[in-house]
Every structure is written in C-alpha cells, then in structure tokens.
Amino acid sequence: MSRHGFRVSTGLKDLIGRGLITNEIVAVFELVKNSFDAHANKVTLRFGSDSIHIIDDGKGMSRHDLINKWLFVAYSAKRDGTEDADYRDSIRKRRRDFAGTKGVGRFSCDRLGKSLVLLTRAKNRPTYKLTTDWTKYEIDAQEDFANIQCDLFQLQSDSQENDLLASETGTVLQITQLRTSWDRQPLQKLKLELAKLVNPIEEISPKFSIEIEASEESDADEEESDPVNKINGPVQNKVMDILKQRTTTLSVHFSDDGQRVETELIDRGEMIYQISEPNTYTSLYESEFRADISFLNRSAKATFARRMGLRSRDFGSIFLFRNGFRVYPIGNETDDFFGLSRRKQQGYSRYLGTRDLIGVVDVKGIEGIDEATSRDQGLILTREADELKNCVLEKCVIRLERYVVDISWKDKLDKDEDTISRMKFDDSSALITSLVSRLAATEGVEIIGFNRDLVRIVSQKSDHFRTSMDAVEQLAGKISDPRLRAHIKAVKDSLRDLAREKREADKIQKKAVKRAIRAEKEAEKAIKQVDKERKRNRFLVAASSLDQDTILNLHHQIIMYSSDVKHHVLRLIKTAKKTINISYDDLLPFLNIISLRNSQILAAAKFATKSGYTLQAVKTADDIALYIHDYVARVESVWKSRGIEVSVSEPLPEFIIQFQPIDIAILIDNLVTNSVKASATRLCLFLSVKSAGRASQQLVIDVADNGDGWETDTDPLEDVLEKGITTTSGAGLGLYHVSQVVSSLNGSISLSRTGRSKEWPGALITIRIPK
C-alpha cells in the first residue's frame, strides 16, 4: 500500500478568483472589506489609465503574515481567531467584527488585473514588497499551484516606493494590466455601489471612509453640476439624510440580551407608537439584530429622485448588512431575498413590495449567518437565515403594512403630503387608535409610548366616534395611564350633557316641525313656479321673493342657535359661581362654541335678508362652486360697507358634492373678515378643478387679497389654524372655524407667505376639497 495526497492545479486560481469573484465591482468590495478588517480608518481607490491603487492605513502585514497568511490559499486567520493575536493592545478599545472570513478575497486582484504589486508595513516593521503575475497560473493547467512563485522583497527605508503608503502602517495594492476599462460610466456605477457598501444608519467606530481618486475624470467633474455624478471625492451614503422626516419608518432592534424585540413607528418625523415584546427568534438572540425599513409615498419618491438623481427603486430596496458591511446582492432591484415581490404579486393592493420600501437590516456574523463563497450569492441558506427572513417579514414589513396599507392608503390625498397633517383628521386618527389598541391587546406586547394627538377619541360628529371611544377604553384597560382615563371620563360627562341638551332641543324641534308643516301647505303653489332661472340662481334669489316657509325655517334655525348660546352662557355662569378664577383652557371652549353659533346666526340672518333658500342648514348634493359665486354676488354689498370688494373668478367650474350651505357661508365670511383685519381692500376666490389621482378630482380654492399678509413672527405659519391662535387683536377663532368647515368636507388647507401675484400680494390660502 502507498499513500498519496491531493495535488492542486494552477487552474484553482481561476476557480476561486474569477470564478467566485463574479464581477469587477464585487472584486473592489472584497478588497475594501480586507482594508476594513485590517482596522483601516480610510481606504483610497486611485484609478489610472491602466492601473488601480488600493491604499489603506490599516495595521499592515509582517513578513510572517505575508508567507503564512496572505500566500496560504483559502486560509483565514479571521476565522480561526488568530488574525489580531499580535495587535490586541492597540485595538482593545475599537473592536470590530470581521467583514470577511473565507480567505479568498485576495484573489479579487486577479479579477481586476493581470499583475499585482503589494506593498505593506506593520508597526515597527520594515516595508515588504510582494509581486504576483497572475498569467503564470494560466500557462499550464497541469502545473502544481505551489510551483508558481511570487517575489518577496524587503524595501530599503529610503526607497521611493515607501511614499505610496498612506501612513506609518498600511497596505497598498498596485494592480496593473487591467482586464476592464474604467471609464466614467463604470466609475459612477462603482461609486454608487460603494455608497451602499457600509451601513448608512449604524455608525461604525472608529469611522471608516472610502475615497476615489481618478485624475483623468477631474475635468469632467468640474463640468458636472450634480455632486452625485462626480467621481473624485469621498464616497458618501446620504440616503437616510434624504429620507429623514419624509418617510414612514419602522425601526426594530433586539434588546442587549436578545430576549425582547423593541419597535418604534415614525411617520414623517413624528412618533406613532413604541412597543416591546418577547423575542421568539431564538437562533438570532446574539445577532444584535437591527432594522430600519422606510415606506416612500409619492412625495418622498419625488424628493429622493430630485436629490439622488435616480429613482428610489433603481437605488435598491432592503439591504442586508453583516458586521457592518453589505451582503451582496441583497437589496438590488432584481433581488428578492426577503420574498416581497412574490408576496406582492399575490395581493397587489394589500402588500408592500421591494419598489415601495428602502431600508437596512444589520446583524452580527453569528454562526449560521454566513455569506456564500461565491460573492454575489448572498447568504448561505441555513435555519438562521430563514429565521432572519421571517423576522424581517413579520416584525418589520407586515407591521409597516398595517399602518401604510390599512391607514395611509385609505386617504387618497396623503400620498402627496410630506407631513402627517392628514393623519390627524378624524377618519385616519380613529384607524390609528384602533391599531394601537389592537397592539396593546396582543399577548406579550407592552406599549411603551404613543402619539396622543393621533391616538384619541375623535369628534362626536364623526362616524368613527364610537369606534375610537371603544378603542381608547380598551387601550386604557391594558396600560396604566391616568391621563387617558381622565380623557375618557371627560368625554362621557360631555356625552351626558349633550344628551340632556338634545332632549331640550327636540322639544323645540317638534314645535318648529308643526309650524313648518302648516307653512308647507301654504307654500305648495310657490314651489311649482320655479323656472329655468332656478338652475343659474338656485341658492339665492331676490329679497322680494321671500315666502312664509323661508321665514319660518330661518326663524327656527336662529332660535336653535340662540338657545345653544344661552345654554353655554348659563353653564359658564354656573362655573364662574363655583370658582373665583377661571383658567384660559376652561374659558376657551365656551367662547369657541359661542363664537361658532354666533357666526351661524349671522349667516342665517344674511339668508333671511338676501335669500329665498330654505335648506341652508341641511346637507345638499349640488354645485358648490355655483353656490360660492351666488352667495358672494348677493352679500357683497354688506362687505362693501366694511371697505372691501369681494369677487369670484370666471369661468365657474362645475363641482357637485354634498355640503351644508350655511357652513360655506360661515367659511367665506371668516375669510373676508380675516382680510379686512389685514387692511385688504380687495379679495378674490379663484376656483379651479384639478386631478387628485386615479379617476378622482378636487376643487382648489385660492383665496388671495391685497392686504398686509401674514405676521413674520408666526412660525410655523399653520399655527394660525389652531384654536386661539391669532396675529390680530381677535380671539383666534375665525381661521379655526374655516379649518373646521374644510375638515368636515375631508379637505385640506395650506398657507403661503408669498402672495398669488403682484396684483394679489397679501395672504394666500389654498383650500382643497375632494369629491
């Protein structure tokens, strides 16, 4: 019997070099990772006409390291724990996990060029030079791999080649006879991909920077106006800065011991909720898992494209980082490691896909979370890798969907907003309240915090009032929160007061109904006399056409509002008797309702003197643009006496919706009053109809005047829409009432410090009302 060992052919070089390192960008990735693992703070990629220099300021290599590690194929001192055996004192305070452990990354040099000169210097050691001609391995496939020799030199201290080293210690890889041409387009692609190489969220200490030097591209860089497209300079990943404050982001991380999962949902800069729950992914306890996943609405996607120079979907989706470095190609547009695209195909409108999301998942390189040897194949498929995918799907993507798909997408106008203003409307707020309540009811979930402006009991006039009330009560039963319980008690007390008031109002209503029935019989003949003029002037007619039915209905409406004012005044008097000092917060709600009712009385009075419309306080489905025009036409004489001329733009668009005419009258009156206080002499309502998405439209009302405009010290400007906020001597309720009316129509308001034009230099208010 004789014994024999394996022989290794020189063909091994191509198998583990150009075979596993599949393209030039992956090759550069591997060499940058080696610099990172050598504890470099900076790596410079210098491109010449037929050369690449990769220069780092890492710990360098000794002669022993070169012979026993670098030239030892497939051996990795990082894997067996001996890589930093002689370097521990200097790195004790800045420990890093290794980005690579396969022992084949050095063959990336062969992928890039035919010839390699390696210069390296370790601390207190001389500089060594190793030369390799990769083509020698390609001459005879029957030659033993070990028979091909590399030349190793020790440089003299005065050798000029020492100048290539960036610092006292470090390594230079000088690659020549390049296999690929590195002109401007490949360099731009490389810089973009390198920007994704290091985790943009998790700061690495000490910092690790990458810089590209390409002297032949300097002139082209000078002519390039967009910094994103410049070649020379540091590689920066600004994607999270661009997305900050503009996306809906779910942040998930494991606790220090890995036993719990901590989650925070932030929508366009504002926290929605924070929760903590047990971690069921046992094999990932030590992975130090962290993920930040962001949904980009249409507004955020437009911002991304404008700032980055490419669409968000072309940049990538959810990137996976292991030990702070990206696992390639996970996150690329064509990669579906987390199964999001396949899942979205099963329910397009129910699920978020790779094109909807941008984010990072960062894990420590624990056992089972390993990259495939072929450097473009992602992770090796293991039980731990499957658990990682499930964790991202269940704790990140699905949680984010419950907010975005079930809440944000239900408001069709929200996709164009870069703030959460529309989420504060009653419909969305009620859905958010139910979401947080369901989380609180989930076994093991602990509510750490929530947004009190969104998680609340909505207006009693809303269709979602009872739903939100039940959700808040359920939430209060799961958490210890005195403020929440006090809020529920106050709402219930208010409900009892309203029920009592309703009974009193019903009595008045019954009497009014009897009078209305009698008046209806007398007015039956008058109704039949309506002719073609009604279509053009269906809301407002001359004062001489008033009939008894009109007078009775308006009389009843004024009685109702006056009774409500009387009731609240009596309540205020009772409160004043009980206490010496009434706080501003206690007084403001009384004054607010009295002011609102008074506005309704004034509007009703104007109808009584100028109108024959009998249903001004009842919702009707009609042309709101025509109503605005006719109301202004009939009431403008009242405003002229106050020194202001009010008009409506022509031609009128048609826009039929359900609305309450008296509310529109209150809205217009308050806008006119606001302009008068700003010393305006002219005001115009510019009406237009614009598209608001798929098969939907919105009426846009630009309210412009020639007054003094907004006060400069009002910041943010939207504060004037809040109750009690004023820039004049008023009570701060006029624009608040305008906001209430617009909200009841599911519309939105935006304010501008810049006037509409030179003719209209004053305040500009834009109101959008959807169909």
Side-chain angles (χ1 to χ4, degrees):
M1 180 187 74
S2 61
R3 307 184 71 180
H4 303 276
F6 284 103
R7 294 177 61 202
V8 179
S9 164
T10 54
L12 177 66
K13 186 268 297 184
D14 286 342
L15 289 176
I16 62 177
R18 281 178 281 171
L20 297 179
I21 313 300
T22 54
N23 60 62
E24 289 73 18
I25 289 178
V26 173
V28 175
F29 279 9
E30 289 300 311
L31 298 176
V32 170
K33 283 183 182 180
N34 284 348
S35 294
F36 174 82
D37 287 342
H39 302 281
N41 291 322
K42 179 180 179 181
V43 59
T44 301
L45 307 177
R46 184 176 297 157
F47 290 85
S49 59
D50 190 36
S51 67
I52 300 174
H53 287 74
I54 299 177
I55 307 167
D56 71 49
D57 59 356
K59 66 177 183 174
M61 289 180 281
S62 65
R63 178 183 175 86
H64 177 273
D65 293 333
L66 285 168
I67 296 172
N68 296 288
K69 295 179 182 178
W70 205 88
L71 290 174
F72 198 170
V73 178
Y75 169 73
S76 173
K78 305 167 192 175
R79 188 168 56 240
D80 68 12
T82 64
E83 172 66 14
D84 290 328
D86 58 349
Y87 196 65
R88 296 204 181 277
D89 290 340
S90 59
I91 67 165
R92 186 173 293 127
K93 294 182 179 179
R94 54 174 186 153
R95 178 72 176 122
R96 294 175 177 172
D97 293 306
F98 292 115
T101 58
K102 299 296 184 182
V104 297
R106 66 206 70 168
F107 285 92
S108 297
C109 301
D110 174 44
R111 162 59 70 177
L112 296 174
K114 298 177 181 179
S115 177
L116 168 68
V117 175
L118 183 154
L119 301 175
T120 188
R121 181 168 61 216
K123 189 174 183 180
N124 300 323
R125 303 290 176 88
T127 303
Y128 288 97
K129 177 180 179 180
L130 179 73
T131 63
T132 304
D133 183 353
W134 299 111
T135 61
K136 290 181 179 180
Y137 295 88
E138 301 167 6
I139 298 173
D140 185 359
Q142 295 189 22
E143 181 73 41
D144 277 357
F145 191 92
N147 289 342
I148 305 298
Q149 300 295 306
C150 299
D151 298 325
L152 179 61
F153 307 92
Q154 177 179 327
L155 294 183
Q156 298 299 318
S157 59
D158 59 353
S159 172
Q160 291 184 351
E161 289 184 285
N162 283 303
D163 296 338
L164 288 172
L165 291 164
S167 61
E168 180 185 352
T169 62
T171 299
V172 177
L173 300 177
Q174 180 179 314
I175 303 167
T176 55
Q177 295 181 282
L178 301 184
R179 300 183 189 275
T180 303
S181 174
W182 289 90
D183 54 23
R184 189 166 186 81
Q185 187 173 358
L187 285 172
Q188 285 178 328
K189 182 179 180 182
L190 173 65
K191 190 171 185 181
L192 178 63
E193 293 301 323
L194 282 172
K196 308 173 193 175
L197 182 60
V198 181
N199 190 336
I201 294 178
E202 198 63 50
E203 289 289 338
I204 298 174
S205 181
K207 291 182 179 293
F208 179 71
S209 63
I210 306 170
E211 186 165 341
I212 294 179
E213 295 179 3
S215 58
E216 294 185 357
E217 299 297 330
S218 297
D219 291 341
D221 280 355
E222 288 292 330
E223 299 175 1
E224 181 61 63
S225 59
D226 189 349
V228 175
N229 293 326
K230 292 181 183 293
I231 303 298
N232 288 275
V235 175
Q236 296 176 321
N237 190 347
K238 296 183 177 181
V239 63
M240 298 315 297
D241 292 335
I242 293 172
L243 298 180
K244 190 177 181 181
Q245 303 295 324
R246 294 184 179 274
T247 60
T248 306
T249 301
L250 192 81
S251 297
V252 181
H253 69 274
F254 290 176
S255 59
D256 291 343
D257 60 4
Q259 299 291 314
R260 296 191 69 79
V261 180
E262 315 287 344
T263 303
E264 180 179 33
L265 177 64
I266 298 176
D267 189 5
R268 286 159 283 192
E270 294 197 34
M271 184 269 290
I272 306 300
Y273 66 74
Q274 295 172 316
I275 62 172
S276 176
E277 58 189 317
N279 186 1
T280 58
Y281 305 99
T282 55
S283 68
L284 301 180
Y285 276 179
E286 298 179 359
S287 68
E288 299 177 11
F289 176 94
R290 173 172 177 175
D292 281 17
I293 311 296
S294 296
F295 164 75
L296 283 70
N297 67 6
R298 191 158 64 188
S299 174
K301 287 178 179 178
T303 299
F304 186 97
R306 187 170 60 254
R307 295 281 300 277
M308 291 293 290
L310 75 166
R311 297 174 300 180
S312 57
R313 72 186 191 191
D314 294 331
F315 181 83
S317 184
I318 300 179
F319 299 97
L320 176 63
F321 293 85
R322 177 184 175 275
N323 294 338
F325 265 84
R326 183 183 168 198
V327 178
Y328 194 84
I330 297 173
N332 282 357
E333 182 182 4
T334 56
D335 182 81
D336 193 26
F337 175 75
F338 296 107
L340 303 185
S341 295
R342 294 191 300 273
R343 184 168 171 267
K344 188 172 179 68
Q345 290 172 359
Q346 299 169 4
Y348 184 82
S349 61
R350 293 182 291 126
Y351 301 137
L352 298 175
T354 55
R355 293 188 174 188
D356 302 309
L357 302 172
I358 283 184
V360 299
V361 176
D362 190 283
V363 291
K364 187 177 179 181
I366 62 173
E367 184 177 353
I369 304 294
D370 295 302
E371 288 186 74
T373 303
S374 182
R375 304 315 245 182
D376 65 344
Q377 297 300 310
L379 289 182
I380 299 172
L381 298 181
T382 62
R383 180 171 65 91
E384 290 79 7
D386 284 338
E387 275 214 345
L388 178 62
K389 288 195 284 188
N390 291 336
C391 182
V392 171
L393 180 63
E394 294 167 4
K395 297 303 179 185
C396 301
V397 177
I398 292 178
R399 281 267 168 82
L400 189 56
E401 282 175 346
R402 296 291 72 79
Y403 181 83
V404 171
V405 177
D406 296 347
I407 300 175
S408 296
W409 283 4
K410 291 186 182 300
D411 186 334
K412 295 181 179 179
L413 298 180
D414 184 65
K415 60 180 173 290
D416 294 314
E417 294 289 334
D418 55 10
T419 70
I420 65 165
S421 57
R422 296 196 62 82
M423 292 295 98
K424 295 180 180 180
F425 290 166
D426 285 350
D427 289 4
S428 297
S429 183
L431 292 173
I432 294 171
T433 303
S434 296
L435 172 63
V436 175
S437 178
R438 289 195 302 272
L439 284 171
T442 304
E443 184 177 357
V445 173
E446 177 186 356
I447 303 292
I448 306 299
F450 57 87
N451 190 316
R452 294 181 183 275
D453 291 336
L454 301 177
V455 179
R456 60 185 175 88
I457 301 173
V458 302
S459 168
Q460 296 168 15
K461 296 179 181 179
S462 170
D463 295 337
H464 301 280
F465 167 71
R466 180 50 60 185
T467 302
S468 68
M469 181 77 172
D470 293 342
V472 171
E473 282 195 289
Q474 184 181 45
L475 178 61
K478 292 292 183 179
I479 65 175
S480 178
D481 191 328
R483 289 174 58 189
L484 203 60
R485 292 193 176 94
H487 179 44
I488 295 171
K489 182 180 182 301
V491 172
K492 288 185 174 180
D493 290 344
S494 176
L495 282 176
R496 283 192 291 269
D497 291 342
L498 285 174
R500 183 171 60 255
E501 293 166 9
K502 185 177 182 304
R503 288 194 296 270
E504 295 174 0
D506 285 345
K507 293 179 182 178
I508 299 174
Q509 179 71 16
K510 288 179 181 178
K511 294 179 181 179
V513 168
K514 290 180 180 179
R515 291 196 298 269
I517 291 174
R518 290 196 298 268
E520 185 178 356
K521 293 179 180 179
E522 296 175 7
E524 190 173 2
K525 292 181 181 179
I527 294 175
K528 296 179 181 179
Q529 297 175 0
V530 176
D531 57 12
K532 295 180 181 179
E533 180 62 18
R534 174 182 171 86
K535 182 178 181 181
R536 179 66 184 89
N537 202 8
R538 64 173 67 94
F539 293 103
L540 305 172
V541 295
S544 59
S545 67
L546 285 174
D547 55 29
Q548 184 177 2
D549 184 50
T550 300
I551 296 170
L552 287 175
N553 275 279
L554 291 169
H555 180 252
H556 161 67
Q557 199 65 37
I558 292 173
I559 289 174
M560 292 287 290
Y561 295 146
S562 300
S563 297
D564 198 31
V565 170
K566 177 182 177 182
H567 168 76
H568 283 87
V569 170
L570 289 176
R571 287 185 62 188
L572 180 58
I573 292 172
K574 289 179 182 179
T575 303
K577 286 180 180 180
K578 294 179 182 179
T579 179
I580 296 175
N581 297 317
I582 302 178
S583 69
Y584 175 82
D585 289 337
D586 290 335
L587 184 61
L588 188 58
F590 287 96
L591 297 180
N592 175 38
I593 193 65
I594 291 170
S595 173
L596 179 60
R597 294 294 183 253
N598 185 60
S599 296
Q600 292 171 320
I601 290 170
L602 288 174
K606 287 178 181 174
F607 278 112
T609 57
K610 297 289 182 181
S611 169
Y613 181 56
T614 62
L615 297 176
Q616 72 278 11
V618 179
K619 273 194 175 182
T620 181
D622 220 317
D623 189 343
I624 188 173
L626 179 59
Y627 174 77
I628 292 172
H629 176 277
D630 288 349
Y631 179 79
V632 170
R634 294 300 179 182
V635 186
E636 63 177 346
S637 60
V638 176
W639 295 321
K640 278 186 178 180
S641 65
R642 299 180 63 186
I644 188 169
E645 181 181 325
V646 183
S647 61
V648 180
S649 64
E650 295 283 358
L652 286 179
E654 184 179 77
F655 199 78
I656 298 175
I657 61 169
Q658 278 210 341
F659 65 98
Q660 190 168 311
I662 198 168
D663 279 351
I664 305 304
I666 291 171
L667 181 146
I668 297 173
D669 285 351
N670 278 298
L671 290 171
V672 173
T673 300
N674 194 65
S675 291
V676 170
K677 290 179 180 179
S679 303
T681 59
R682 295 172 61 219
L683 178 142
C684 185
L685 287 80
F686 296 88
L687 309 183
S688 61
V689 175
K690 296 183 179 179
S691 175
R694 293 181 180 176
S696 63
Q697 293 182 320
Q698 58 183 5
L699 178 67
V700 179
I701 308 172
D702 279 341
V703 185
D705 66 27
N706 63 347
D708 297 332
W710 304 108
E711 291 290 341
T712 57
D713 59 353
T714 304
D715 188 23
L717 189 55
E718 284 71 22
D719 280 355
V720 300
L721 301 176
E722 300 294 328
K723 181 165 58 180
I725 303 297
T726 179
T727 60
T728 68
S729 58
L733 295 174
L735 289 180
Y736 174 62
H737 289 163
V738 170
S739 178
Q740 284 183 309
V741 171
V742 174
S743 179
S744 71
L745 295 170
N746 293 320
S748 64
I749 301 178
S750 61
L751 311 176
S752 174
R753 294 189 184 277
T754 305
R756 192 174 192 273
S757 63
K758 291 183 179 179
E759 184 181 359
W760 305 99
L764 176 61
I765 301 175
T766 301
I767 298 171
R768 292 179 175 85
I769 301 173
K771 250 185 186 177

